[in-house]
Amino acid sequence: MPTAGTIYTIEEVNSDPVLLNSNLGYYTNFMNLLDCAAIALPVTITENNLPFGITAFAPAFHDGDLIKLSESLYANGLLSGSKEEVYIDLAVCGAHRRGGSLNGQLTAINAVYKETTYTSADYRFFALEHLSPVRPGLIRDPDKGGKIEVEVWKIPATKLGGFISKIPAPLCFGKVTLENGTEVLSFLCETYALKNAREITHLKSWDRYLQG
């Protein structure tokens, strides 16, 4: 059986906890009522970055048999939950955002949108208008910085190297601090490219710059 017929986000459960928690028990409640033994087996991480698994069940006191079955399923490659994809958070502030002209580079490697948020108030933001196409440049400057809007995407770790290799100079990669204090990988800009750039820190987002 599926361990759960669907997976809800924390926000969805918080909006209606009684009903949604009841739904999550649809495939497992009867096992308690019928006095079955059961074991939940992780299978995969879905495209929405949520877990999916199955539950194997048997009459009471067959726990050992279920464990042996589980070990066999993984050992023979019939389940791959022990080899879940590892994801790395990446903050983007320009054309790689949803709806942007380069967003396809993320979706092509099965990256998953996580959230829209802001950096800490330590960054300056520039429009590199002397480049074609125009692109944003982000640098850290605690003395003159502000909060800049970013989208955070979860990138499969196995695909990150290939993605980075396609990004041209003067953009580069490093860690940025988000407003909640966490550090994530992000696009940054080499300072030499800012000589003829237009500062747009006060706009706080690439969308506002594009809107004129």
Side-chain angles (χ1 to χ4, degrees), residues 159-181:
K159 306 289 183 64
L160 183 61
F163 173 76
I164 290 177
S165 69
K166 296 178 181 178
I167 306 303
L171 299 183
C172 57
F173 287 86
K175 290 292 186 70
V176 302
T177 303
L178 302 180
E179 63 178 349
N180 64 5

Side-chain angles (χ1 to χ4, degrees), residues 94-127:
H96 285 90
R97 297 164 308 134
R98 292 174 298 169
S101 60
L102 298 180
N103 183 250
Q105 292 183 358
L106 291 177
T107 57
I109 59 172
N110 298 321
V112 178
Y113 168 77
K114 181 179 179 180
E115 62 176 339
T116 297
T117 185
Y118 284 86
T119 66
S120 61
D122 301 308
Y123 295 89
R124 295 174 70 187
F125 202 34
F126 296 83

Side-chain angles (χ1 to χ4, degrees), residues 43 46 67 139 153:
V43 174
T46 69
I67 292 173
I139 65 167
W153 286 72

Side-chain angles (χ1 to χ4, degrees), residues 2-9 12 20 23-27 46 48 50-53:
T3 301
T6 188
I7 302 296
Y8 301 112
T9 63
E12 288 172 330
L20 297 194
N23 291 345
L24 291 174
Y26 184 84
Y27 290 105
T46 69
N48 295 325
L50 296 171
F52 174 77

Side-chain angles (χ1 to χ4, degrees), residues 134-187:
V134 178
R135 64 201 70 174
L138 186 69
I139 65 167
R140 183 178 177 87
D141 187 341
D143 295 326
K144 299 180 181 179
K147 293 184 178 183
I148 306 302
E149 185 180 70
V150 295
E151 285 186 2
V152 180
W153 286 72
K154 300 181 75 66
I155 310 293
T158 56
K159 306 289 183 64
L160 183 61
F163 173 76
I164 290 177
S165 69
K166 296 178 181 178
I167 306 303
L171 299 183
C172 57
F173 287 86
K175 290 292 186 70
V176 302
T177 303
L178 302 180
E179 63 178 349
N180 64 5
T182 62
E183 288 188 338
V184 299
L185 188 66
S186 179
F187 289 95

Side-chain angles (χ1 to χ4, degrees), residues 49-82:
N49 201 36
L50 296 171
F52 174 77
I54 62 174
T55 296
F57 64 99
F61 308 115
H62 283 70
D63 308 67
D65 294 328
L66 289 172
I67 292 173
K68 291 178 182 178
L69 171 64
S70 303
E71 292 174 341
S72 176
L73 290 173
Y74 286 117
N76 289 289
L78 298 176
L79 293 180
S80 57
S82 58

